[in-house]
Amino acid sequence: MDAVTATVVGDIALVLGASSVLGALARRIGQPTVVGQIAAGIILGPSLLGRLPGDLTSHLFTKQAMPFIAVIAQIAVVIFMFGVGYEIDLKSVRNHRRPVTLISVGAMLIPLALGCAIALGVQHTGAFDGQHTDGRSFILFLGVATSITALPVLATIVRERGLAGTSVGNIATASAGFMDVTAWLVLAAALIGTKGAGDRSWPETALLLAVFVAVMVLVVRPALGWWFRRTNAVMASQVTVALVLAAAGAWATASIGLHAIFGAFVAGLVMPKPDGTADADVLRSTEQSGGLLLPLFFVVTGLTTNLGALKGSDVLLLVVMLVCGVGGKAAAGYAMARLGGLDTRRSAMIGALLNTRGLTELIALNVGLSAGIIDERLFTVLVLMALITTGMTGPLITAIERRTAVRPVPKAATPVPVAEVGDHS
């Protein structure tokens, strides 16, 4: 084993160990595992470990080892994004069509518009030097960064809080699924014309993307559905097909000039579901395959996040992003849920759930950074926004549950049974 290989193996052991410990610690304090894993990546980067005497970060994660770690991290992200697309159940809106439609549109467009407005203000100040901060790509990108919802983290919180199968859980998950699809499409549009698109023109890249989506929906999906029905495919073969489809989709969009995650995400969307819902074994296999090495992605993110490089204006921008992100997402989700006919409690819980950004946001941020749309300072600001808003979700849900679990009964009034938080209506 040569020195570089030994360093990569050692780094993987260090990252998985630190992520496991901090992920478990996050769960103990009522936070999603991803919060602890993100924190591990930041701690191992220049924000903390790199500031200690001897610059341990640069010695542990050498320039020779990082390209290999980055490739492994990207493979994990590709498999993870396939699982995100595969988990989205577009049929789950049937019983809650009105609230899901209102929430999907309102809680996406309002924060998207606020993010675009922030981008125009940042452009005016000229505070950041991303390659495309003066154009359409930057405006669309900040809109996505403000409006995105982390469906996988949201789904995890729904399961951990006992909301799976309830109206709150179903509506929030379905709405997040639709918003995720929209966000990735907008992000794909933002990348057109950046350095990641190569030498292709804007119309050419858009046309190739449209052809790819059409082939996946009109050719690949029916063909796989026919194959599964004809062969009565067992779980093992479906997992193999899923991994091949994820890799092929990632290769296709990377060849077009867009990020590989778009192809993996679309591949997950078109993967047939024989019973109309995601196969638990396939979903578990992709989650385990991608999730095992996904902490490496957080370290790659953490090595680019330098809290010590932030200026006073950056902190002000973070406050603005938090106000617009939380206000635009949580408040819009609450308002749209109320318009959709839900009561105050369920509307508040949906608004809190939709404010979760987590891993999905970090993936989008890394895409923007690698495409030159944003610089490392703005990247750090947005990473902090993702971490803070995700960390808010658990306490907000707990506060809503406590506030609605016990209601004071006026004297001389007959006590009225209070509906449980985990209402299965």
Side-chain angles (χ1 to χ4, degrees), residues 101-113:
T101 301
L102 288 171
I103 293 168
S104 300
V105 174
M108 182 70 199
L109 292 183
I110 293 175
L112 182 68

Side-chain angles (χ1 to χ4, degrees), residues 11 15 19 37 40-42 44-45 61 66 69 294-304:
D11 287 344
V15 170
S19 298
Q37 293 175 331
I42 294 176
L44 292 174
F61 303 97
M66 279 310 299
I69 294 176
L294 206 55
L296 294 175
F297 172 77
F298 296 121
V299 168
V300 174
T301 301
L303 294 177
T304 316

Side-chain angles (χ1 to χ4, degrees), residues 162-187:
L163 296 172
T166 68
S167 57
V168 169
N170 290 338
I171 293 172
T173 303
S175 301
F178 277 107
M179 287 188 287
D180 260 11
V181 173
T182 305
W184 291 118
L185 291 176
V186 175
L187 184 56

Side-chain angles (χ1 to χ4, degrees), residues 256-319:
I256 290 172
L258 299 174
H259 200 281
I261 61 169
F262 298 113
F265 180 73
V266 173
L269 282 175
V270 303
M271 177 78 174
K273 303 178 179 71
D275 298 325
T277 57
D279 185 280
D281 292 323
V282 174
L283 192 59
R284 187 183 309 112
S285 298
T286 55
E287 286 178 345
Q288 290 175 346
S289 301
L292 177 64
L293 295 176
L294 206 55
L296 294 175
F297 172 77
F298 296 121
V299 168
V300 174
T301 301
L303 294 177
T304 316
T305 304
N306 189 355
L307 302 181
L310 295 181
K311 304 177 181 178
S313 59
D314 302 333
V315 177
L316 177 61
L317 177 61
L318 174 61
V319 173

Side-chain angles (χ1 to χ4, degrees), residues 119-137:
L120 291 173
V122 171
Q123 284 182 344
H124 180 70
T125 63
F128 299 94
D129 57 1
Q131 181 178 339
H132 298 277
T133 53
D134 59 346
R136 166 193 55 82
S137 294

Side-chain angles (χ1 to χ4, degrees), residues 46 128-130 303-307 309-310 314 369 374-383:
F128 299 94
D129 57 1
L303 294 177
T304 316
T305 304
N306 189 355
L307 302 181
L310 295 181
D314 302 333
L369 181 65
I374 58 176
D375 64 5
E376 292 187 1
R377 278 175 50 218
L378 185 52
F379 176 83
T380 298
V381 170
L382 296 174
V383 167

